[in-house]
Every structure is written in C-alpha cells, then in structure tokens.
Amino acid sequence: MKQELVGVEATLPEDFASGIGPVLAGRVWSPEAAGPCVVAVRGEQLFDITHLAPTMRDLAERADAADLVRNGETRGAFTLADVLANTPETSRDPSRPWLLAPIDLQAIKAAGVTFPRSMIERVIEEQAQGAPEKADAIRQQVRDHLGGDLNSLVPGSPEALALKETLIAQDAWSQYLEVGIGVDAEIFTKAQPMSAVGHGMMAGLHPRSTWNNPEPEVVLVIAGDGRIVGATLGNDVNLRDFEGRSALLLSKAKDNNASAAVGPFVRFFDADFTLDTVRGLDVELKVTGSDGFEMSGRSSMSQIARDPANLAGQLFSKSHQYPDGAVLYLGTMFAPTEDRGTPGMGFTHKSGDIVTISTPSLGALTNEMTLADQAPPWTFGAAALMRNLAGRGLL
C-alpha cells in the first residue's frame, strides 16, 4: 500500500489542526507492552491513556470521555506518522508500534437495508439467487414493481405498510422489503468483539465469493447504557453471491476473517461534533485496483430511511442489553452496478484493491483487499487482552 494513503493528512479529519481540534481516540499495538494501548490523538502525537481507560470500552463508558481525551494525564506517546507508516502488514516492522482498530470489547453490530437504493439491490440479489449476470434484467423489473420515490417513504408508516400490502398482492414481496420499509430494522452481528481490522490493514473476502463489494458506512459508538457517544467509519464488506443465494447465509456473507474494517479513530461527541453532524455526513468511496480499475461513489446520511437514533434504539432495549457497549454500522446506499470486465457481470473485488472510505469530519479508512484465508489470522482475543492488561497492572 502506498504510504501517502496512510499518511497523517490522508488519515485525520480536515479540522484536526483548527482551533481545539476534534476529540479523537484509538488503539496502538505496543511491542514493549506486548499488547494494545488506548491513545488520545493530540496534534500529530498519540498519547497513551491506558492507565485511565484500559480499553476503548472503558473510555466510551465514561461521561467525561471527551475531557479525558483532550486533557487527561498521559504516560508516554507515539508519533502518529511513524505508527501509520508501520501499520500495513506488507511492510510492518513487528518491533515498532502500529495502529489497530479503535474498538475492542464492544459488540460489533450492523444495520442492513437502511437506504432505499441498497434495499433495491438486496431484492435484486435475492431474485438473482447470487448470479450477477441476471442482475440487470431483474433490476428493471424490481423498479417497475416498486415505482415512486422511495426516499420519502418512512419505514413502518401507514404509507409504507400500504405499499407492503400492494406488493404482497402483486406477489412481489421480499424479506428485504420487510426490513427496508417495515416496522423492524435489520440489525445483525457483523463480527465478534476484538476481531475488527483498522486503517491501513488488510480486509478480507471469503475465498469462494465471486460477486462482492465494499459498503462504506458511518459507525456509531454506543455505551453500555445506550448513549451514543461518538462515531467512526466502517467497511461492511459484503458478499452479494452468498447472501443472494440465501438470507440464511448472512453470517457467512458478513463474518469472515478481517471482514469488519473500522477506523481510523473514534471521534467523540462534543460541541462541534454531535449526532446531528452524523445525520448530515456525506461518505465518499474510492476503489483503485492493481489492474488500473477505478471506481468512486458517495453515500449521503441525509438519505437514510431510519434515523441513527432509531437504529440505536432498536439495538439497545429492555429486551436486549450490551454491558460492554456496541458499535453499529448504519448501512449504505452504495451498491455498485457498473461492470468490471465481463459485460453484465457488474462489479466485484479483486485481491489488491485499495478501498478508501472518507468524510471530512472523521478522516479516512483505507484497506487493501485480500482473501480472508490469506489475511493475517485473528489471534488476540478478549482473554488475551485481559491477561495482558492484568500483567501490566491495569486491571
């Protein structure tokens, strides 16, 4: 991966050098500690605050998280540029620190079919039964059935339920329409705690997938009591062929080694960055292949069908708790349809693709795509973290 893609200016939010700057925190692997450190981003330095918040889960639980990140006592520091330069696995020196995903013990959840455009594409996947060559013809049939402007349709509203009855009568109903315009959102487990990969690292595709795509998304960071405390970026890597063959293959389509990318840092809410800011974000996507292929796209959070607070409320409730908090991918409107190679086959990844997801307020998340069985295996889990922190006298 080119170093400029994971450099300081390419990584941080646009306002990191203005005024008091954004409240950013993350995680760095410290070879000296043989484990992760929670760090506060101050200027171009990463200050170790692990003694104040041993995990990112602990930091997210604190009511004074923003103040701690800005002003808390630190013990040592890492140079941001050096850490970023040493993060890509293909050039990493294991004796030097590198960046990690900015989450740890939180549940990793995702909301699906939250944008009308992606809802239509999920219906197409279902109808095509995972065969990309059938997609174009089905796409037109689905649009003819649905008609109208779905962007203004509120899920669960009387208008949405009336459309549901019409489509059922036309024998055109789909399980994706159920979660797209019905009362209940689709919220599923994307990956296991501690398994996410971060900015500059490899992201994984199932080796048997032949039709897949990136999903650029905003990711909410939610404390154990349901408070939304910040946000970051995510790539909810999607296997269109697996999920298209059967919705029961969702776990295989979504939860693979290195398939949950999150980063670069968590931006905690303060006076300058709030949930309303998240509601107005535009998320950019760029894919660059080693074969010269390039693709770009944009998702506007203003077009989401379900408000982020509603989605968080459907995740956290009296019927389900997350004492270690959660992160929640909010879904995407981006579903690439342009051909990459064979006409009619649409887009699919190739190993070596560089995927960059960015928005000015959160910076950029860049990953190199590889096969899940060729990405570095996940070996450091929750038990290893607890043993490491105990050995360092931090528990």
Side-chain angles (χ1 to χ4, degrees), residues 38 129 177 199 246 293 308 335 374:
V38 176
Q129 297 184 338
L177 292 171
H199 173 59
S246 171
F293 175 85
Q374 295 180 16

Side-chain angles (χ1 to χ4, degrees), residues 48-71:
D48 187 355
I49 57 172
T50 316
H51 61 293
L52 300 177
T55 68
M56 282 294 291
R57 176 268 178 199
D58 292 317
L59 181 59
E61 294 298 311
R62 295 185 59 143
D64 63 346
D67 182 64
L68 188 154
V69 172
R70 280 210 175 104
N71 304 308

Side-chain angles (χ1 to χ4, degrees), residues 108-113 185-191 215 217 236 243 250-251 254-255 315 327-329:
I108 305 175
K109 310 292 283 190
V113 201
E186 178 192 20
I187 298 179
F188 57 90
T189 297
K190 167 61 182 176
E215 291 194 341
E217 304 187 20
D236 180 14
E243 189 175 351
L250 180 66
S251 61
K254 292 293 187 179
D255 187 4
L315 175 63
V327 296
L328 177 62
Y329 288 75

Side-chain angles (χ1 to χ4, degrees), residues 122 125 211-213 215 236-240 243 253-254:
R122 297 293 86 76
E125 289 168 13
W211 189 23
N212 47 64
N213 62 265
E215 291 194 341
D236 180 14
V237 179
N238 182 46
L239 309 184
R240 304 190 70 180
E243 189 175 351
K254 292 293 187 179

Side-chain angles (χ1 to χ4, degrees), residues 41-102:
V41 184
R42 301 178 187 171
E44 297 190 14
Q45 295 290 109
L46 304 174
F47 289 91
D48 187 355
I49 57 172
T50 316
H51 61 293
L52 300 177
T55 68
M56 282 294 291
R57 176 268 178 199
D58 292 317
L59 181 59
E61 294 298 311
R62 295 185 59 143
D64 63 346
D67 182 64
L68 188 154
V69 172
R70 280 210 175 104
N71 304 308
E73 174 197 9
T74 65
R75 294 183 180 176
F78 307 90
T79 300
L80 177 58
D82 292 343
V83 169
L84 290 172
N86 194 48
T87 297
E89 291 96 336
T90 53
S91 58
R92 181 182 299 164
D93 177 353
S95 68
R96 296 167 48 217
W98 64 87
L99 195 67
L100 297 170

Side-chain angles (χ1 to χ4, degrees), residues 5 9-14 199 214-219 232-235 261 263-265 278 280-287 295-301 332 354-367:
L5 294 175
E9 289 189 9
T11 299
L12 291 176
E14 287 186 356
H199 173 59
E215 291 194 341
E217 304 187 20
V218 174
V219 179
T232 185
L233 293 170
N235 185 355
F265 300 102
V278 170
L281 294 179
D282 287 337
V283 180
E284 303 279 349
L285 169 74
K286 183 176 182 181
V287 179
M295 179 181 66
S296 60
R298 170 181 291 188
S299 285
S300 176
M301 286 296 297
T332 184
I354 304 297
V355 178
T356 296
I357 297 165
S358 63
T359 192
S361 296
L362 295 172
L365 169 66
T366 298
N367 301 97

